[in-house]
Amino acid sequence: MNRPSEGEFKGETTPFHETREKCCAKEDRTVTGPQDNLPPEVTFATGARLLVEQEIDANATADSVRHIARSRKDWPFGEGREHPYGSVANARTMNTLAFLKYFTEHPPNPTGRGRDRQPRKRPAQ
């Protein structure tokens, strides 16, 4: 097998390296504001990642966003609401700007679920 030595390819760029440099550039991955390269639609998982990147909710997960969607009466997405859900590959999608606007105006509880409404009952002895 004739393998070229390492020195033969030093300094030469191939199409693979050029593409890798473009796709992995740090400025392409960071999102700094609602106007900068945001996708038009987000799913619960990509929306949660966006909330973390935008520093709106440091602990956001897809499940926590789904919980908010089920439990809050003012959730703006869904049938008969302000913004209908879209669908991509069997996943619900939401308008990105409306999603970010909702979470900036109605941030999640930073301490978790909150205190119990009633004291916990002790088990019968």
Side-chain angles (χ1 to χ4, degrees):
M1 180 183 276
N2 292 336
R3 294 182 102 179
S5 66
E6 284 185 37
E8 286 182 45
F9 288 113
K10 271 197 173 161
E12 294 180 22
T13 57
T14 64
F16 169 77
H17 292 97
E18 291 171 5
T19 305
R20 183 177 172 103
E21 288 171 6
K22 288 178 189 173
C23 76
C24 298
K26 185 170 176 85
E27 62 271 1
D28 290 343
R29 289 183 283 164
T30 57
V31 178
T32 57
Q35 68 280 2
D36 297 342
N37 299 327
L38 292 178
E41 304 275 318
V42 292
T43 62
F44 288 103
T46 57
R49 269 189 253 125
L50 190 59
L51 291 174
V52 172
E53 288 173 4
Q54 295 284 316
E55 297 177 359
I56 295 170
D57 182 7
N59 301 316
T61 63
D63 286 336
S64 69
V65 176
R66 282 188 195 97
H67 175 74
I68 288 170
R70 282 191 309 269
S71 62
R72 290 192 180 172
K73 292 178 177 29
D74 63 346
W75 181 249
F77 300 98
E79 245 181 80
R81 299 195 180 186
E82 189 177 347
H83 303 282
Y85 284 119
S87 182
V88 172
N90 203 21
R92 285 192 234 163
T93 60
M94 300 159 278
N95 178 285
T96 303
L97 294 178
F99 180 83
L100 289 175
K101 180 182 176 189
Y102 177 80
F103 277 99
T104 53
E105 292 174 359
H106 305 92
N109 184 354
T111 59
R113 69 178 195 155
R115 65 180 196 81
D116 290 336
R117 294 177 192 257
Q118 297 178 356
R120 294 184 187 237
K121 296 179 181 174
R122 292 185 180 172
Q125 292 181 356

